[in-house]
Amino acid sequence: MEPVDVHVAQARRTTATVLKQWSLPDALADDARLVVSELVSNAIIHGSGDVRLRLRHDDHELRIRVTDDSTAPARRRRASAASLGGRGLYLVACLSLRWGVADGGRTTYAVIPTLTEATPCRRTAQSSTDPTC
């Protein structure tokens, strides 16, 4: 898809349609749509060239991959309370079992468990000192 803002909503709708066809639970689909939204937004804002979204799943996990032509890897930032942005990868980290970059920085991926197992942030109460979630 071309790197324009309107494609973020399109990516969310496409994700919802595919996950419904795969009969994945609604709660997982909600998390996946948010992850897709954040990763596609980052690729549009910080990347270059067309943006590609790939979804795969098996009995244990849903893998979301967003690729653009930039070799600058995605990285988490610490946003101040007044910042309007900078929380996207924080949300991805909290909703995913794991996330990272691949393909020399061109691909950012997230893995969400498809079983009843909770993501790390949902397993236990959050600690105010936990830098991850």
Side-chain angles (χ1 to χ4, degrees):
M1 63 189 97
E2 293 179 37
V4 292
D5 291 341
V6 69
H7 288 137
V8 175
Q10 180 184 357
R12 278 194 307 268
R13 285 191 303 272
T14 299
T15 299
T17 300
V18 169
L19 298 184
K20 188 175 195 100
Q21 289 173 347
W22 288 344
S23 300
L24 293 175
D26 289 342
L28 182 138
D30 290 344
D31 289 352
R33 281 195 312 271
L34 180 54
V35 168
V36 164
S37 182
E38 294 301 335
L39 295 182
V40 170
S41 292
N42 280 351
I44 289 171
I45 294 167
H46 304 291
S48 64
D50 287 345
V51 176
R52 292 164 300 285
L53 167 65
R54 287 171 287 183
L55 303 170
R56 296 185 108 165
H57 89 95
D58 59 26
D59 291 337
H60 304 287
E61 57 190 30
L62 170 68
R63 292 176 296 284
I64 301 166
R65 296 174 57 91
V66 175
T67 303
D68 62 69
D69 294 332
S70 174
T71 57
R75 61 182 178 81
R76 277 184 41 191
R77 299 185 299 160
R78 284 205 181 267
S80 70
S83 296
L84 295 177
R87 294 172 185 83
L89 290 177
Y90 169 81
L91 292 171
V92 170
C94 285
L95 295 172
S96 304
L97 187 60
R98 64 185 178 279
W99 76 276
V101 295
D103 304 326
R106 292 183 20 223
T107 298
T108 305
Y109 67 87
V111 177
I112 299 174
T114 57
L115 297 174
T116 56
E117 129 186 32
T119 58
C121 291
R122 295 178 181 186
R123 273 190 216 128
T124 59
Q126 288 179 212
S127 164
S128 60
T129 59
D130 182 357
T132 306
C133 297

